[in-house]
Amino acid sequence: MFTELNELLDASPQRPETGKFTLLRDTRTDGSFLVHHFLSFYLRAGCKVCFVALLQSFSHYNIVAQKLGVSLTAAKERGQLVFLEGLKSCLDLLFGEEEKQSGQPSPLQFISESTSNLKALFDFVRTSLTPAGSDSWKGPVLLVDDLSVLLSLGATPVAVLDFIHYCRVTVCYQLKGNIVVLVHSNEDSEDEENELIVNSLCHHSDLILWVEGLATGFCKDVHGQIKIIRRASLELTAEQDLVQIYQYKIQDKNVTFFARGLSAAVL
Amino acid sequence: MAAPFAVRRRRHREAPPERGGARRRTAASSGGAGSAMLEALVAGGAEGLVLVRDNAACEGRSLLRAFVTAAVQRAERVLVVLFDVPREQFEAGLSPSVKEQLLYRDGFTDPLGWSGPDPDLRAGDFGGLLAGGLPSGGAPDAGAGLTQLAAAAPAPPLPLPGPGGPAGGGPPAPDESFTLLPDGSLRSLGVPTPTPEEEDGRPPPSVARTPGSPRDSGGRAPSHPLTFRLQLSAAERAARAAVPPPYQLSTPKRSTLLRTPGTIVCALEPPEDEDPEDPDDDLDV
């Protein structure tokens, strides 16, 4: 986890929040460093994490997590991490032998079957995060990387929104856990289905981290800008959403955040 | 049944924080009902479907709560159909007397029947609820997240009356401002009068906000406010108008110019101090 981001978000692994929906959104750049941050943050906080990883393999996340001081293999062995490797599951589903399919239904069975809903994926999330009697984890966390891949795999926007709705009901409200979801978006994109999902998720999010590439192009010292939007308008007494904008630079084991125009290279 | 009209909320450009934590908001209304649209709605003048449409930056649920509070105070029966938020979140902030009068149908927990065999309300049953299942007596308001309903399931077309649109074909009524009080009720502030800057078409002066506020309509992030003022105040504008332009000559000056035509006045400059050294001293002639 990145300590500077924790300070900006006023978050600490000793007191993780409950019932929050965090939306990670990236435009013209790759926001997956935030996924690594939240994965290591919640594992350090002692929460039970269900990670629906559709974009990269397990070893990729493991290597990055080790740089951040967390071992995903160890977390999986002690039962703290439930990892759905989407790349492997898709292949097993489409090219696997029939014996494997006679067991539990694959969470991604919507790809091969005619059912257009993501109920199987939701059932997987629910069974992973419903606390068993012997669990002593702090709170369930659902992490999805990323949601736009489900559209590419053939799910309809309505199905994806249904899945997110049920996850919100179960994880945020019933189990008092947190959800972190990554989506890609582009303001002038022609992918209307993706923009529909992003807009809908913005309505339900308590915190939006919007990562954008610089409008002027690539820069060696400033890799992009992050907009932190706290949806204070969802609460009764607050007035407006609080928006803070910072720039960041990704290093090998850390990400530094600074006010706009105050990169270390120009100071 | 009267044609439905829509109340659309738009954030007012200069929204100073009200005392007591209530914030000032603006609604735009179509239809020829005049400038007291919000007051009429709150007083129970709504017939048919009232659609509250909001955006992610300015949520509309608090307006819905205000309508619900007003309806309960008019002793009407109110049915709240929940699709977007759980009951605790919807009734947060409502007074206890209002809370106990509300009837609820829960379409939030399990609208598609995934979690159990007998959900309270399925998304597909919403049309039937509107058509015939409402409790009798009074004019119940069905507060709901209709956009969420449209996204939840491909339900059959609901029997809604008539297409939305301005009634009477007149121009849309101007935006109205309102504020929500801490007890959940609504107070209409009427049509906001445009400031002189807005009448001229220039953007209004940026209000100094606390760091981290969202962008104002000028597109400049108010977290870095200017240290100087770009717009003129009324007194300054009057003073500027009082100064005569240089091409407007006063009468004595004009007569002086006319009386002496073609005169060239040459004012010689005083001679410069000459350098005593001969600049050609180094020439070898």
Side-chain angles (χ1 to χ4, degrees):
Chain A
M1 65 181 187
F2 310 128
T3 46
E4 290 186 23
L5 187 57
N6 282 343
E7 285 169 12
L8 291 180
L9 298 176
D10 195 23
S12 160
Q14 279 76 34
R15 38 174 186 87
E17 291 184 321
T18 56
K20 294 293 173 200
F21 190 106
T22 303
L23 180 67
L24 309 177
R25 183 177 174 179
D26 59 19
T27 303
R28 294 192 306 266
T29 187
D30 184 18
S32 54
F33 68 95
L34 293 173
V35 174
H36 297 299
H37 162 78
F38 280 104
L39 178 61
S40 57
F41 176 86
Y42 282 117
L43 285 176
R44 286 233 187 131
C47 300
K48 178 147 190 192
V49 177
C50 175
F51 190 7
V52 177
L54 302 171
L55 206 57
Q56 304 281 2
S57 64
F58 176 79
S59 55
H60 170 89
Y61 294 105
N62 199 17
I63 290 171
V64 179
Q66 278 172 358
K67 287 189 188 177
L68 301 181
V70 168
S71 168
L72 296 191
T73 322
K76 224 162 97 162
E77 281 167 11
R78 60 177 181 256
Q80 189 186 8
L81 173 66
V82 178
F83 194 94
L84 171 65
E85 190 168 353
L87 295 173
K88 215 163 75 160
S89 301
C90 285
L91 286 181
D92 287 343
L93 186 67
L94 294 174
F95 304 114
E97 298 163 2
E98 288 188 12
E99 301 154 3
K100 283 184 193 167
Q101 292 175 10
S102 65
Q104 268 190 344
S106 167
L108 299 176
Q109 67 180 18
F110 71 95
I111 302 175
S112 64
E113 292 191 6
S114 59
T115 53
S116 59
N117 61 31
L118 296 171
K119 182 173 184 301
L121 188 59
F122 165 68
D123 288 335
F124 169 80
V125 169
R126 184 181 48 186
T127 43
S128 309
L129 292 179
T130 303
S134 57
D135 278 350
S136 62
W137 308 116
K138 267 201 190 149
V141 173
L142 169 66
L143 203 54
V144 180
D145 178 21
D146 62 51
L147 214 56
S148 311
V149 172
L150 290 176
L151 286 178
S152 308
L153 289 174
T156 58
V158 170
V160 174
L161 290 175
D162 288 343
F163 164 70
I164 289 294
H165 176 87
Y166 269 88
C167 288
R168 221 161 51 94
V169 171
T170 308
V171 178
C172 286
Y173 291 107
Q174 290 177 350
L175 299 176
K176 301 282 183 280
N178 300 309
I179 297 183
V180 180
V181 169
L182 174 68
V183 287
H184 301 299
S185 84
N186 204 355
E187 279 173 351
D188 51 355
S189 141
E190 294 176 352
D191 190 350
E192 294 174 354
E193 297 182 343
N194 193 36
E195 294 310 305
L196 174 73
I197 290 187
V198 173
N199 285 334
S200 177
L201 291 180
C202 282
H203 278 271
H204 298 133
S205 310
D206 297 299
L207 176 69
I208 302 175
L209 300 182
W210 191 350
V211 173
E212 294 175 280
L214 295 179
T216 44
F218 171 75
C219 172
K220 193 167 54 106
D221 299 300
V222 178
H223 291 151
Q225 137 180 321
I226 180 170
K227 217 186 272 186
I228 302 175
I229 304 173
R230 291 171 221 270
R231 302 285 322 285
S233 58
L234 292 180
E235 300 165 26
L236 277 181
T237 52
E239 295 181 0
Q240 295 176 5
D241 289 346
L242 300 169
V243 179
Q244 294 167 302
I245 304 179
Y246 298 95
Q247 289 175 338
Y248 63 89
K249 178 178 178 184
I250 302 178
Q251 292 155 344
D252 184 41
K253 294 189 182 180
N254 194 15
V255 175
T256 53
F257 294 86
F258 39 88
R260 285 181 292 177
L262 296 184
S263 154
V266 299
L267 286 178
Chain B
M1 195 180 290
F5 45 82
V7 174
R8 177 173 54 87
R9 270 179 75 212
R10 184 177 63 83
R11 178 168 297 283
H12 194 251
R13 274 187 293 190
E14 295 175 67
E18 291 266 353
R19 277 189 230 134
R23 50 177 161 138
R24 179 187 175 142
R25 304 158 189 224
T26 305
S29 48
S30 58
S35 64
M37 174 72 69
L38 274 177
E39 289 176 355
L41 286 176
V42 172
E47 281 188 27
L49 175 72
V50 175
L51 195 68
V52 176
R53 187 176 156 192
D54 63 1
N55 55 44
C58 190
E59 53 84 30
R61 193 165 295 116
S62 41
L63 187 62
L64 210 62
R65 285 198 198 96
F67 287 153
V68 162
T69 306
V72 166
Q73 285 164 356
R74 287 194 309 270
E76 292 180 0
R77 300 192 61 176
V78 179
L79 170 69
V80 179
V81 182
L82 297 165
F83 284 112
D84 215 21
V85 289
R87 175 174 173 167
E88 299 78 26
Q89 192 172 341
F90 181 82
E91 61 184 17
L94 295 177
S95 61
S97 57
V98 171
K99 279 189 214 179
E100 63 191 17
Q101 299 293 325
L102 299 178
L103 302 168
Y104 284 95
R105 289 300 297 274
D106 181 16
F108 169 76
T109 310
D110 195 8
L112 300 176
W114 285 2
S115 295
D118 198 15
D120 182 25
L121 177 69
R122 285 175 184 260
D125 297 338
F126 184 53
L129 183 72
L130 282 185
L134 294 175
S136 58
D141 296 329
L146 285 179
T147 52
Q148 180 68 20
L149 169 65
L158 303 176
L160 296 178
D175 292 348
E176 297 179 39
S177 284
F178 64 95
T179 188
L180 292 163
L181 303 173
D183 66 350
S185 55
L186 181 148
R187 179 156 58 95
S188 174
L189 300 173
V191 178
T193 52
T195 61
E197 288 87 359
E198 288 176 8
E199 282 174 349
D200 290 342
R202 290 193 289 263
S206 67
V207 181
R209 298 170 192 258
T210 55
S213 310
R215 290 173 183 271
D216 59 1
S217 59
R220 183 178 54 241
S223 55
H224 301 283
L226 292 173
T227 52
F228 50 89
R229 189 164 43 87
L230 283 176
Q231 280 78 28
L232 296 173
S233 67
E236 286 168 341
R237 194 176 294 113
R240 188 177 74 172
V243 173
Y247 49 82
Q248 270 184 6
L249 302 173
S250 59
T251 316
K253 195 167 178 195
R254 190 188 302 151
S255 59
T256 309
L257 282 175
L258 288 174
R259 246 184 283 126
T260 59
T263 309
I264 298 175
V265 176
C266 185
L268 290 173
E269 290 180 358
E272 291 178 5
D273 293 335
E274 294 182 0
D275 193 356
E277 286 186 8
D278 186 6
D280 298 332
D281 205 8
D282 55 349
L283 284 180
D284 189 14
V285 177

